[in-house]
Amino acid sequence: MLQPPEQLELPPVIPPPNGDLSDVPDNETKKGLVDFTGPDASNRILFINIGFFKYGTADKAHAGSIFLSLILIVVAFSIMVIGLYSANGAWLEKVLSLVWSAFLFVVGVSIGRGQSDKTD
């Protein structure tokens, strides 16, 4: 049953913090603020900078799986372009299914590895 507008409850308003607040994070806060997209990131393994998109990581397994998945996507698109000019389409379906399975496996490792790091 709908209530009239004057009887609806509004969510509580959370007041902003007050007092002497600093813009400089303390040592404990800095531990969670590692920026792997900056120019001076320490222990960075992978860095992708496409202008509008930046990504960096220090996890070797995660970086490797992202790199392999990017290669497999390029291979899949190349096979599809080659398949456009092929008279026999049966091989295209088989090869694309193999590449797609490998891509899904590598992406699964990438996502799973990233998730397991968060639970440690």
Side-chain angles (χ1 to χ4, degrees):
M1 184 166 137
L2 293 174
Q3 297 177 352
E6 58 273 351
Q7 293 179 356
L8 293 176
E9 292 185 30
L10 296 175
V13 177
I14 301 172
N18 56 7
D20 187 22
L21 303 174
S22 173
D23 291 336
V24 180
D26 61 355
N27 289 335
E28 291 300 315
T29 306
K30 286 181 183 179
K31 289 180 184 177
L33 297 176
V34 179
D35 181 19
F36 292 113
T37 61
D40 58 348
S42 61
N43 300 327
R44 180 172 57 200
I45 303 296
L46 174 70
F47 181 55
I48 299 171
N49 185 1
I50 308 176
F52 65 92
F53 176 77
K54 287 184 180 180
Y55 181 77
T57 184
D59 185 7
K60 290 180 184 177
H62 186 70
S65 59
I66 288 175
F67 181 72
L68 286 175
S69 64
L70 290 175
I71 288 176
L72 287 170
I73 282 289
V74 170
V75 168
F77 283 127
S78 301
I79 290 171
M80 286 192 292
V81 169
I82 292 170
L84 291 174
Y85 301 105
S86 174
N88 185 6
W91 71 271
L92 178 65
E93 182 180 343
K94 182 67 175 173
V95 171
L96 276 179
S97 69
L98 290 172
V99 171
W100 188 247
S101 297
F103 172 74
L104 288 178
F105 179 75
V106 170
V107 167
V109 169
S110 174
I111 293 171
R113 178 66 183 173
Q115 186 64 28
S116 68
D117 284 348
K118 292 178 182 174
T119 59
D120 287 346

